[in-house]
């Protein structure tokens, strides 16, 4: 789907429009950093013009003074109600990276019952690393910790830690066991993405988990004309995500189902 790839590339460039940052390693500090971007894109990426919604949410839960992040939640809710996981399929730079890796010619692990069950893992990770651990650290130490960003997020390692370490000797001197751990996770994610379609999005990403909860009620997304539908199930046979039906919580609106539908019963656009 050429149009989707073009949108993904343009979105990645738009998110990371501070091109000078990639040559100097300096993080953009303009007023646009107060605005959350829809997709997963690290705040500390030298090119990033906006904030990552996950990072912003965790920062609010990790300060010395615990506060409910209404501002960040408002951004996430707005994106979710309008687009939901369509953002994952069309507006996430790290999703694009995984899709490009998947194009490498190798045997592929197709979706199956195990991958479907594994897709629930991201909800567990969201609960533990996005909510419980930051609040637990705050309760026991008086200061929270952005647990997902700090201990897991491979997008942050790729987009921020590696470029900053390359340009900043003082940062390289501080790298330790945590960096090695996160670099290992990034390498495993890259390796997995060569054989498995978007493994981070399907099994790990909290943002995808949150957006997925709104897939059925979002304004835009995939929809099926049930009058035309002949229940041939070709849509599900060609789906690379762990969907049970078009537009469910795992659907990223990639449009593969639309391309194979023999009666053109599937469309992408405004649902209501």
């Amino acid at each position: 789907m050429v149009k989707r790839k073009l949108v993904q590339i343009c979105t990645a460039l738009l998110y990371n429009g501070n091109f000078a940052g990639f040559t100097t390693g300096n993080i953009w500090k303009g007023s646009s950093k107060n605005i959350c971007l829809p997709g997963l894109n690290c705040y500390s990426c030298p090119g990033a013009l906006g904030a990552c919604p996950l990072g912003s949410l965790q920062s609010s839960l990790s300060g010395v003074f615990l506060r409910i992040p209404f501002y960040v939640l408002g951004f996430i809710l707005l994106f979710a109600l309008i687009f939901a996981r369509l953002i994952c399929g069309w507006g996430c730079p790290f999703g694009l990276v995984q899709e490009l890796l998947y194009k490498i010619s190798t045997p592929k692990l197709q979706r199956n019952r195990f991958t479907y069950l594994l897709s629930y893992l991201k909800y567990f990770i969201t609960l533990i690393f996005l909510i419980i651990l930051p609040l637990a650290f705050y309760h026991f130490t008086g200061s929270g910790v952005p647990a997902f960003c700090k201990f897991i997020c491979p997008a942050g390692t790729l987009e921020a830690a590696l470029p900053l370490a390359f340009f900043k000797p003082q940062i390289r001197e501080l790298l330790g066991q945590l960096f090695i751990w996160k670099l290992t996770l990034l390498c495993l994610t890259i390796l997995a993405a060569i054989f498995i379609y978007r493994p981070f999005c399907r099994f790990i990403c909290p943002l995808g988990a949150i957006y997925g909860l709104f897939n059925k009620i979002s304004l835009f997304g995939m929809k099926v004309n049930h009058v035309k539908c002949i229940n041939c199930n070709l849509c599900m046979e060609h789906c690379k995500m762990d969907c049970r039906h078009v537009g469910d919580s795992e659907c990223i609106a990639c449009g593969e189902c639309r391309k194979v539908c023999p009666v053109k019963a599937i469309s992408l656009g405004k649902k209501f």
Side-chain angles (χ1 to χ4, degrees):
M1 198 171 184
V2 177
K3 185 167 69 172
R4 185 171 74 91
K5 281 290 182 288
L6 181 61
V7 172
Q8 287 176 292
I9 293 170
C10 290
T11 300
L13 293 174
L14 184 63
Y15 285 3
N16 298 287
N18 179 36
F19 302 121
F22 291 110
T23 62
T24 63
N26 294 324
I27 298 174
W28 174 259
K29 296 180 180 179
S31 58
S32 60
K33 275 293 181 75
N34 295 320
I35 300 173
C36 286
L37 300 171
L40 191 71
N41 195 79
C42 187
Y43 178 98
S44 296
C45 174
L49 294 176
C52 173
L54 287 185
S56 299
L57 182 61
Q58 289 187 95
S59 295
S60 299
L61 296 174
S62 303
V64 176
F65 301 103
L66 182 65
R67 60 192 186 278
I68 300 175
F70 291 111
Y71 180 70
V72 179
L73 290 174
F75 271 111
I76 295 175
L77 184 61
L78 177 65
F79 297 143
L81 288 174
I82 298 176
F83 299 110
R85 290 205 77 180
L86 186 149
I87 292 170
C88 304
W90 293 71
C92 180
F94 198 63
L96 173 61
V97 169
Q98 293 172 83
E99 288 187 18
L100 294 176
L101 288 168
Y102 190 74
K103 288 184 176 293
I104 297 174
S105 182
T106 60
K108 306 299 182 184
L109 176 65
Q110 304 300 323
R111 70 179 196 148
N112 51 53
R113 181 170 178 78
F114 176 72
T115 63
Y116 175 75
L117 293 174
L118 197 60
S119 68
Y120 287 100
L121 176 63
K122 59 181 172 288
Y123 297 100
F124 175 78
I125 289 174
T126 300
L127 181 64
I128 298 298
F129 285 88
L130 206 65
I131 301 173
I132 293 179
L133 281 180
L135 293 177
F137 269 88
Y138 180 83
H139 177 75
F140 290 109
T141 68
S143 179
V145 61
F148 180 79
C149 295
K150 184 174 182 178
F151 300 120
I152 295 182
C153 187
T157 308
L158 177 66
E159 298 167 1
L162 289 177
L164 292 176
F166 178 80
F167 284 108
K168 305 289 186 180
Q170 62 271 33
I171 291 181
R172 288 199 297 273
E173 293 174 0
L174 297 174
L175 298 179
Q177 294 298 318
L178 180 59
F179 176 76
I180 294 173
W181 162 251
K182 290 200 65 181
L183 185 60
T184 301
L185 290 182
L186 173 61
C187 291
L188 289 174
T189 302
I190 290 173
L191 182 63
I194 296 174
F195 302 97
I196 304 170
Y197 185 74
R198 295 182 71 142
F200 176 78
C201 308
R202 291 163 67 185
F203 312 133
I204 305 295
C205 183
L207 194 57
I210 295 170
Y211 285 155
L213 298 176
F214 293 84
N215 254 11
K216 291 185 178 181
I217 61 172
S218 61
L219 183 61
F220 293 96
M222 305 302 298
K223 60 180 179 179
V224 179
N225 184 329
H226 293 285
V227 175
K228 288 184 177 181
C229 179
I230 57 175
N231 296 312
C232 64
N233 207 41
L234 278 174
C235 51
M236 290 299 96
E237 290 177 10
H238 286 80
C239 180
K240 296 187 182 75
M241 298 295 287
D242 295 286
C243 300
R244 287 297 181 92
H245 57 81
V246 175
D248 71 7
S249 61
E250 298 303 313
C251 179
I252 60 171
C254 67
E256 291 298 317
C257 55
R258 182 177 64 171
K259 291 195 294 185
V260 300
C261 181
V263 294
K264 308 300 180 186
I266 303 173
S267 60
L268 170 62
K270 192 175 180 180
K271 295 191 293 185
F272 306 106

